[in-house]
Amino acid sequence: MPSLVLAVALALLPLVAAPAFAEAPAAARALDLARYDFDPAKDRAADVGTRFLADLDSASPALGAAVREKSRYDLQDEEAAKFVRQRKYVIAAYAVLWMLLAGFAMTMYRRQTRLQLALDQLEARLRASSGT
Amino acid sequence: MYHHRRMGFVRAAALVAAKDLRVELRTREVVYTMTFFAALLMVLFSFAFSQGGQVLPEAAGGILWAAVAFSGTLGLARAFEREREGDTMRGLLLSPADRGAIFLGKAAGLCVYMLIVEAVAVPLVAILFGAPVLERPLELAALLILATIGFAVVGSVFAAMLLRTRSRETLLPVILYPIVLPALIAGVKGTAALWQGSRALPQAHFWLLFLLVFDAIFLAVALWAFESLVVE
Amino acid sequence: MKRTIFLAAGALAAVGFALLPFFVFFRAELAYDLYFNQKIFYYHVPAAFMMFLSVFICGFASAKFLISRQPRWDDVAAAAGDLVVLFGALVLTSGPIWGKAAWGQYWVWDARLTTSLLLWMIFVAYALLRRFGGPGSERLAAGLALFGTADVPLVYFAVNFWKTQHPTNRVVPNLVGEMRTTFLIGAGAYLCFFLILLAARIALGRSERRLAEVEDLAVEIGRLE
């Protein structure tokens, strides 16, 4: 009797294990570098990476997560460095913009003051000439 | 009995141009100084662009056009200064001739001066910088003539307007160059394309067409605006 | 009425410029690859729009002045010409700083940069002419503005085939999400600010001209010598 159970179990085994075997070729593919050839006409550089990570996840989710974690750290370092470097350009650009605008406002203000002065002078002269 | 007849447009323009050329033929002042100045500029530029005693072939076209532009301004200023000295511009403008015709006549006179200078400058570029000027003589001549017309048209408008202005000597080049710069770019790029050999010929033709458009636009604007621009 | 519009534009510009930094730094997404330096965009591009707007206002007003000979059109042209120089200066300073951050160099002889530079130079010449031309130079300046405006498409075509690094016109219509909102706020604030500056500058020029006219009149009728 036990042998019958064993026989049935052995017969069912391929059915149970079929999904697992179906996964196996993907894991094998992860090493098949030809699959990740970069063809600029067909895909962007990131597409190749997406393909690789999908294969890696299906082969070993833990490994996939580890790779993601590592690239996240790299990205953070890189972007932090970029930010520190680029912040000063943004600040410089904004400073120059506002300085130019302020300079223009200053010249307008000065012209306005001069105009007011000339107007006052004219008024005074006209009064003086009408007084005599 | 007076038979008052408005002079023909073309005839009036031709008369003004002929008058300018006759004055010039007596003294040859403008053409001599312009030509010498152009040659002088070429020698000066050869220092800027020479490497180990050889001038880069790409620079030859640029040198030619810079010499044409600078000497053109010299001639332009002088041609109109003459009218100011004798106060003859007023006389011209008071004459019954169309103002557009007067303007065209002045521009045509200037064109002739500049073409004479170019007739000397082009062989000089060939001799001094080894430029292959005989490669495509017709296209080169067309480029030079079209750019000269554009320069003379724009230049005559501004020089005529500036006649009454105090600081005309400094203002003329300052306002003239930014406006004619597209024509000069076309000249430089077109010449470079011509001297590169036959594979760049379509580019040279593009620049010829561009100059044609430039001339057409500015001739139209100048004829339209000259009437109201010249204060008298 | 004019006053109301003026004040409304002022209020809108003030609100817009107050909101803009918040949107620029906290709401707009970081741009792919360009990252933080892309934030210059929200000030650089509207300034360029205003510059071109100002060029066309100046050209139009100059043509009107030459036809009608009414000095009020000359006031408009003078004001717009000044604003071309101002906004051109904004574009041509923020641009190279961004260029340094994004491309590694301040200036490249690229189609768009060259076009803007040449255009700006025409209007610097215009400002010089206005300042040093002396009496009677209004019409000359109008002629220069007219020729300058006619030059815009030519300059563009003359340099357009040069190798280009600068992003094209397609960037702005294709903005999405918060970037789009931020850009629209920036453009709106700039437009209101531009209109105020233009109106203020026109009023200033007109007052100066009227003052001179009144002085002449006073001399003429013998109230002043």
Side-chain angles (χ1 to χ4, degrees):
Chain A
M1 213 44 161
S3 63
L4 185 66
V5 173
L6 192 67
V8 170
L10 277 176
L12 287 178
L13 189 63
L15 289 178
V16 176
F21 280 120
E23 293 296 312
R29 265 208 310 271
L31 296 173
D32 177 12
L33 291 181
R35 197 171 129 71
Y36 310 111
D37 277 345
F38 175 51
D39 177 7
K42 240 172 39 202
D43 38 24
R44 293 170 303 164
D47 291 343
V48 180
T50 310
R51 211 148 63 215
F52 177 79
L53 268 178
D55 291 351
L56 191 62
D57 281 342
S58 57
S60 161
L63 197 55
V67 169
R68 280 203 176 73
E69 194 62 13
K70 164 68 181 146
S71 56
R72 195 171 294 139
Y73 273 108
D74 283 356
L75 194 69
Q76 233 160 48
D77 290 349
E78 207 176 282
E79 297 299 69
K82 240 190 201 172
F83 175 74
V84 169
R85 192 159 45 81
Q86 293 183 342
R87 194 182 42 187
K88 61 174 190 273
Y89 289 117
V90 176
I91 291 169
Y94 281 26
V96 169
L97 283 176
W98 288 112
M99 259 152 55
L100 282 169
L101 284 175
F104 186 78
M106 273 299 288
T107 59
M108 288 244 307
Y109 177 74
R110 273 188 36 217
R111 274 178 80 165
Q112 188 71 52
T113 321
R114 220 178 304 149
L115 183 68
Q116 198 63 50
L117 207 70
L119 206 59
D120 292 347
Q121 275 171 359
L122 180 67
E123 198 186 350
R125 280 163 68 196
L126 280 174
R127 273 183 206 288
S129 79
S130 67
T132 51
Chain B
M1 189 179 161
Y2 289 112
H3 182 67
H4 188 81
R5 190 168 57 90
R6 209 178 152 81
M7 224 186 306
F9 187 88
V10 178
R11 210 176 101 78
L15 273 178
V16 174
K19 168 202 77 90
D20 269 14
L21 293 176
R22 202 172 309 125
V23 173
E24 177 58 28
L25 208 60
R26 296 224 177 101
T27 59
R28 300 189 191 86
E29 176 202 359
V30 176
V31 169
Y32 280 173
T33 39
M34 273 172 83
T35 314
F36 178 67
F37 186 56
L40 202 62
L41 279 172
M42 285 189 187
V43 176
L44 275 176
F45 278 126
S46 72
F47 294 116
F49 294 110
S50 69
Q51 264 176 0
Q54 279 290 310
V55 170
L56 306 167
E58 294 84 27
I63 293 173
L64 172 67
W65 284 96
V68 165
F70 289 155
S71 64
T73 320
L74 202 68
L76 187 61
R78 188 66 197 115
F80 279 85
E81 193 64 19
R82 261 183 196 157
E83 300 282 3
R84 205 187 63 86
E85 276 168 3
D87 206 13
T88 45
M89 197 68 189
R90 190 190 302 267
L92 270 181
L93 293 173
L94 284 174
S95 73
D98 197 311
R99 286 195 172 178
I102 295 169
F103 151 73
L104 268 190
K106 296 296 291 183
L110 182 72
C111 267
V112 175
Y113 301 164
M114 286 181 70
L115 288 173
I116 294 172
V117 173
E118 284 156 20
V120 178
V122 170
L124 267 182
V125 173
I127 295 166
L128 292 176
F129 309 118
V133 294
L134 290 177
E135 201 107 296
R136 293 256 160 205
L138 281 181
E139 273 104 337
L140 182 62
L143 271 177
L144 283 167
I145 290 171
L146 285 175
T148 302
I149 291 173
F151 187 92
V153 163
V154 178
S156 300
V157 174
F158 286 121
M161 290 192 296
L162 277 168
L163 266 188
R164 322 272 311 160
T165 312
R166 217 164 359 97
S167 40
R168 59 189 163 281
E169 294 89 354
T170 46
L171 282 177
L172 179 62
V174 161
I175 66 179
L176 179 60
Y177 288 132
I179 302 282
V180 296
L181 212 54
L184 294 178
I185 293 174
V188 173
K189 294 278 167 185
T191 317
L194 278 185
W195 292 348
Q196 253 171 40
S198 55
R199 82 198 136 78
L201 210 55
Q203 275 180 45
H205 289 154
F206 166 79
W207 288 118
L208 277 173
L209 195 68
F210 180 89
L211 280 172
L212 212 58
V213 173
F214 181 92
D215 288 0
I217 290 177
F218 281 105
L219 202 58
V221 177
L223 281 176
W224 178 74
F226 191 78
E227 178 80 46
S228 53
L229 282 177
V230 178
V231 202
E232 201 54 59
Chain C
M1 182 60 191
K2 261 184 186 168
R3 205 179 159 75
T4 323
I5 296 175
F6 190 81
L7 288 176
L12 275 175
V15 171
F17 277 120
L19 275 178
L20 192 56
F22 171 71
F23 271 84
V24 166
F25 290 110
F26 300 109
R27 295 293 293 275
E29 298 90 343
L30 283 173
Y32 172 72
D33 202 33
L34 285 174
Y35 196 61
F36 193 67
N37 67 41
Q38 186 262 351
K39 305 223 173 274
I40 297 173
F41 170 88
Y42 302 109
Y43 287 79
H44 174 79
V45 177
F49 282 11
M50 295 309 123
M51 173 183 166
F52 280 95
L53 177 64
S54 203
V55 167
F56 286 106
I57 290 175
C58 186
F60 177 75
S62 297
K64 285 294 259 188
F65 174 62
L66 285 181
I67 295 168
S68 69
R69 311 254 169 123
Q70 286 172 340
R72 64 194 175 99
W73 285 112
D74 186 51
D75 296 336
V76 175
D82 257 15
L83 289 182
V84 176
V85 176
L86 171 70
F87 281 93
L90 298 188
V91 173
L92 290 170
T93 46
S94 62
I97 293 172
W98 191 5
K100 180 73 180 169
W103 307 329
Q105 49 192 343
Y106 286 107
W107 190 266
V108 290
W109 288 101
D110 153 290
R112 211 159 277 254
L113 279 70
T114 315
T115 308
S116 311
L117 180 64
L118 288 184
L119 195 56
W120 186 69
M121 283 181 150
I122 291 174
F123 281 86
V124 172
Y126 179 85
L128 286 173
L129 184 59
R130 283 258 167 203
R131 189 154 156 64
F132 301 112
S137 65
E138 302 88 19
R139 234 174 280 173
L140 180 48
L144 179 60
L146 205 61
F147 277 78
T149 315
D151 230 15
V152 174
L154 288 170
V155 170
Y156 186 72
F157 278 112
V159 295
N160 199 26
F161 75 104
W162 288 1
K163 188 167 65 75
T164 189
Q165 285 194 359
H166 192 286
T168 58
N169 296 340
R170 299 224 308 281
V171 170
V172 170
N174 288 341
L175 286 175
V176 286
E178 295 286 335
M179 275 186 172
R180 192 185 166 82
T181 321
T182 310
F183 176 73
L184 288 178
I185 291 173
Y190 259 92
L191 184 63
C192 292
F193 188 51
F194 170 79
L195 291 176
I196 291 169
L197 280 181
L198 187 67
R201 179 63 187 74
I202 289 173
L204 182 61
R206 192 175 47 215
S207 305
E208 282 174 354
R209 180 171 54 76
R210 300 248 336 251
L211 178 67
E213 281 169 8
V214 168
E215 266 175 350
D216 287 351
L217 184 69
V219 170
E220 210 171 279
I221 62 171
R223 296 293 293 271
L224 281 180
E225 67 285 341

